[in-house]
Amino acid sequence: MRLNSPVTASLIAALRSDLAAADFTVARVTALWGAEAADALHRGQRIPALRALDARAGSTGPTPLATLAAVFLLGRPATGNDLAEAFPALGVDGAVALGLSSSTGGDRFFAAVDLRPYSFVDAHGPADWWIVSDLGELSLGHALPVDHVLGVGGASTTLSGLMLQNPVDRVLDLGTGCGIQAMHASRHANHVVATDISQRAIDLAALNVELNGIEGVEFRLGSLFEPVEGETFDHIVSNPPFVITPRADGVPEYEYRDGGMVGDALVQAVISTAGEYLAPGGVAQLLANWEYRGDGAGEGDGVGEGDGVGEGAGDGFARVEGWLDASTVPVDAWVVERDVEDAARYAETWIRDGGTRQGTDAFDRLMSAWLDDFERRDVRSVGFGYVLLRRPITGEPTLRRLERRHGALGSNEAGLGVHLGDSLAAHDWQAALDDAAFASHRYAVAGDVTEERHFWPGDDAPTAMLLRQGGGFGRTVQGDTGLIALVGACDGELSVAAIVAALAQLLEVDEGALFAELVPAVRALVVDGFLVPVE
């Protein structure tokens, strides 16, 4: 499946033509079998979708769209005639030559890979692609091979949604897998370098780039930063093989998720060295796991407002802070923990991910190996989250923020990239101003911010006043009378300094003390998008 062959390139062009002609898109496939069957398929149940296809086919036979959906999404074989109608330009022989389909003999052709439509919306607008990856457990009927190349999963869409979309020159996709992050990055970069330790992953990623007519992506084989030694990038994105896997006989090490190191050492290595490969002002974004050892259980209220590690941050965040402190190049850092799983649940999750089913001897052996490994290192739970690193253009880092955002967010993670970019820009803007200069500006309340007041029955004064953010991270800020009144007065007409002076008179308090109390809180509201500077 090497693209330096003119024959292969022509076959991919024919495949692209056929998929477009069949209208093989997420919207059309969902309409083919309906929303309920689509939901069932998402849960791993394909029978409702198959029944819907059979009911539609009737006496006329399947359409090209139905054949493609049945073969590549539902694992149903097709006859040579049906496959030929679905691939009029590529043909059955072309589908076999390209590695899409195979036959065990007779007139029955099966999917040899997973080929599915993919749709999304980003800052550049909506798009529809096709993604080729290896067959999953549902189609294989057994555990995954260790060289399995994963398609677009939940982690993939999370990272692509987090991706900053500012125009840049060079992007590095570290551990590209099927190439999905490199493809997303190509929409805001002049050139993308995509690396992976797996030659099969490189081949499939190159196929996906060619299939979708994407230019400017270069592929390199190798581990982590080895293929780009001595180079720097404006943006690094990575869904690295961060899964904490026992280094023990009989435990499969999947290339797409296992980095071959003990515990969370791979994430430590990436966080500690990524700054070397960032150009000044460059940003690295990755998904990561970190261990909680001993009594650090990772519990929190899910709010996690403010910079730094708050009280009760736990051992997991302390480990991450240690990695940041040991960075070979000082970097700004923003770490968001999205979830924590206890050791047993974490092991269960990733054993199932590999296709080993519960209730089997193989599952029990793997579970024991995982728990033995955790016990040796006193690992009680594992955190999962996002890491954003930035190399300062000049001077020392100004941002060190570790926070917990457990549970639902204010908006879909798919739109967080724009919010993160806005928050970084707001942080830089306010960090460059002293308090007097910051307070001389006028601000307006963002359109997604609402205010809540809670009263005990019969009381005139509220017991709690909250500002809620509808988008971004869906933050909630509890304020006192002064802060809530200041935010309420931010309509773009008066500066913060003028509002504070008026409030000091109204509340009959010292203006200087009120200024010192409120300005840091207002800075935080600007960074988090509650307040927007007015030019």
Side-chain angles (χ1 to χ4, degrees):
M1 197 181 294
R2 300 298 173 85
L3 297 185
N4 55 4
S5 165
V7 174
T8 303
S10 66
L11 291 177
I12 294 173
L15 172 61
R16 184 189 312 120
S17 173
D18 289 340
L19 295 177
D23 203 8
F24 192 45
T25 64
V26 172
R28 290 283 290 116
V29 168
T30 300
L32 192 65
W33 45 55
E36 290 184 3
D39 287 342
L41 188 59
H42 185 71
R43 300 191 303 271
Q45 301 295 329
R46 57 186 173 184
I47 297 302
L50 286 170
R51 290 170 62 89
L53 287 186
D54 291 341
R56 278 180 170 271
S59 60
T60 62
T63 64
L65 175 63
T67 297
L68 292 173
V71 172
F72 293 104
L73 303 184
L74 304 179
R76 171 180 277 184
T79 66
N81 285 338
D82 287 344
L83 198 62
E85 289 184 8
F87 288 135
L90 180 64
V92 175
D93 290 342
V96 173
L98 201 52
L100 303 179
S101 183
S102 63
S103 175
T104 56
D107 191 34
R108 288 165 60 84
F109 290 86
F110 298 83
V113 293
D114 186 291
L115 167 62
R116 64 183 56 231
Y118 171 71
S119 65
F120 64 95
V121 179
D122 63 11
H124 304 279
D128 288 284
W129 288 338
W130 303 289
I131 303 296
V132 180
S133 61
D134 279 331
L135 292 171
E137 176 200 357
L138 185 66
S139 298
L140 292 174
H142 56 74
L144 304 176
V146 294
D147 63 347
H148 178 81
V149 177
L150 192 68
V152 179
S156 300
T157 55
T158 293
L159 182 58
S160 63
L162 291 169
M163 193 181 297
L164 301 183
Q165 297 171 39
N166 306 322
V168 295
D169 184 30
R170 304 187 76 220
V171 173
L172 170 64
D173 177 16
L174 192 73
T176 193
C178 70
I180 187 61
Q181 305 305 331
M183 294 165 66
H184 275 286
S186 72
R187 289 167 66 84
H188 68 268
N190 292 329
H191 184 72
V192 179
V193 176
T195 69
D196 206 284
I197 198 171
S198 165
Q199 182 62 59
R200 177 157 180 79
I202 292 289
D203 291 343
L204 285 175
L207 168 62
N208 287 324
V209 165
E210 179 79 9
L211 176 60
N212 291 285
I214 295 172
E215 299 180 350
V217 180
E218 172 190 353
F219 294 97
R220 301 184 192 177
L221 182 67
S223 177
L224 294 179
F225 292 107
E226 290 175 1
V228 296
E229 191 64 39
E231 300 179 50
T232 59
F233 298 85
D234 306 298
H235 196 182
I236 297 173
V237 293
S238 183
N239 181 10
F242 58 73
V243 176
I244 297 168
T245 304
R247 308 270 77 90
D249 292 340
V251 178
E253 296 183 14
Y254 295 103
E255 290 179 339
Y256 74 90
R257 73 179 204 192
D258 302 321
M261 300 184 187
V262 175
D264 51 18
L266 184 135
V267 174
Q268 176 183 1
V270 174
I271 289 177
S272 299
T273 60
E276 298 177 28
Y277 301 91
L278 289 172
V283 173
Q285 294 181 272
L286 63 142
L287 304 182
N289 275 169
W290 39 82
E291 296 178 342
Y292 283 87
R293 298 179 180 177
D295 294 333
E299 294 299 327
D301 60 10
V303 176
E305 302 296 339
D307 290 343
V309 182
E311 186 176 338
D315 182 57
F317 269 1
R319 291 173 60 75
V320 175
E321 281 230 283
W323 303 340
L324 294 170
D325 291 340
S327 175
T328 54
V329 173
V331 291
D332 290 314
W334 187 356
V335 180
V336 179
E337 182 178 82
R338 290 291 289 121
D339 196 11
V340 175
E341 283 191 329
D342 65 72
R345 185 179 295 274
Y346 183 87
E348 178 184 323
T349 295
W350 291 108
I351 295 169
R352 288 203 317 265
D353 177 80
T356 302
R357 298 179 179 178
Q358 286 180 279
T360 64
D361 290 341
F363 186 96
D364 291 345
R365 285 194 300 271
L366 290 176
M367 191 70 173
S368 294
W370 238 282
L371 295 183
D372 286 345
D373 176 64
F374 284 146
E375 186 174 325
R376 278 192 295 271
R377 290 178 292 107
D378 198 21
V379 176
R380 307 298 179 84
S381 55
V382 179
F384 166 79
Y386 326 139
V387 178
L388 185 151
L389 310 172
R390 183 176 61 174
R391 184 169 183 170
I393 296 177
T394 59
E396 294 299 311
T398 61
L399 176 64
R400 174 68 69 89
R401 182 172 190 171
L402 289 82
E403 60 176 323
R404 292 191 171 83
R405 302 301 308 171
H406 297 180
L409 298 179
S411 62
N412 192 301
E413 285 174 306
L416 278 177
V418 173
H419 175 75
L420 289 174
D422 291 343
S423 292
L424 284 178
H427 166 81
D428 294 342
W429 179 81
Q430 63 84 33
L433 302 174
D434 62 24
D435 283 351
F438 175 81
S440 70
H441 284 270
R442 295 170 292 129
Y443 302 89
V445 179
D448 65 337
V449 174
T450 57
E451 179 187 326
E452 292 182 13
R453 298 190 178 214
H454 297 266
F455 298 81
W456 288 112
D459 283 359
D460 293 329
T463 57
M465 294 178 287
L466 307 174
L467 298 174
R468 292 195 183 276
Q469 183 182 52
F473 282 100
R475 301 179 187 278
T476 299
V477 174
Q478 183 168 347
D480 58 15
T481 301
L483 181 61
I484 297 299
L486 187 151
V487 172
C490 284
D491 58 2
E493 296 297 324
L494 295 175
S495 69
V496 164
I499 296 173
V500 170
L503 286 175
Q505 282 190 330
L506 181 65
L507 299 175
E508 298 181 344
V509 298
D510 180 74
E511 181 179 339
L514 187 62
F515 184 93
E517 174 190 339
L518 292 181
V519 167
V522 176
R523 285 183 182 271
L525 292 176
V526 169
V527 171
D528 288 336
F530 285 79
L531 294 175
V532 181
V534 175
E535 295 297 332

